Amino acid sequence: MKREITRLDVMSVAIMYGASLALLGVLFALLFFLFGSIMGNRIMGGMMGGSVAVLIFFPLFYGGIGLVFGAIFASIYNVLAPRVGGVKMYIRESAD
């Protein structure tokens, strides 16, 4: 069965994308914190490497950017989908 997504709820896409990027920000923060702690200021050169602020800043920053760009993407999709066609999905129904 073929279905087409013709419209996206802007806020739900923005929240989902923001949450996804915040989770990615946690991963980057942990890596940055780990390598910043190991390398010290030799390589990081005065950046926030190894500080607890990184663990707070990265997820908030990435989540905020994701929220904004998720809303922008969903809005653009809603404008373009009626003109060029939405994303087509193929769904198979199971016999459960």
Side-chain angles (χ1 to χ4, degrees):
M1 168 185 313
K2 184 167 84 171
R3 305 253 175 160
E4 184 176 341
I5 300 172
T6 57
R7 186 160 181 76
L8 298 172
D9 179 57
V10 174
M11 236 11 241
S12 67
V13 171
I15 290 170
M16 188 63 188
Y17 195 59
S20 299
L21 281 187
L23 188 61
L24 192 61
V26 169
L27 175 67
F28 287 155
L30 290 173
L31 290 173
F32 198 84
F33 182 78
L34 174 70
F35 288 114
S37 295
I38 292 171
M39 303 294 181
N41 281 335
R42 285 185 212 145
I43 294 180
M44 294 302 190
M47 294 173 69
M48 294 187 302
S51 74
V52 177
V54 168
L55 296 174
I56 297 169
F57 176 73
F58 273 29
L60 290 176
F61 179 74
Y62 275 79
I65 293 295
L67 190 74
V68 170
F69 280 97
I72 291 170
F73 167 77
S75 298
I76 291 171
Y77 184 92
N78 288 339
V79 169
L80 292 178
R83 292 168 177 74
V84 298
V87 173
K88 292 175 181 50
M89 298 182 349
Y90 295 91
I91 301 170
R92 179 181 53 182
E93 298 205 20
S94 63
D96 292 79

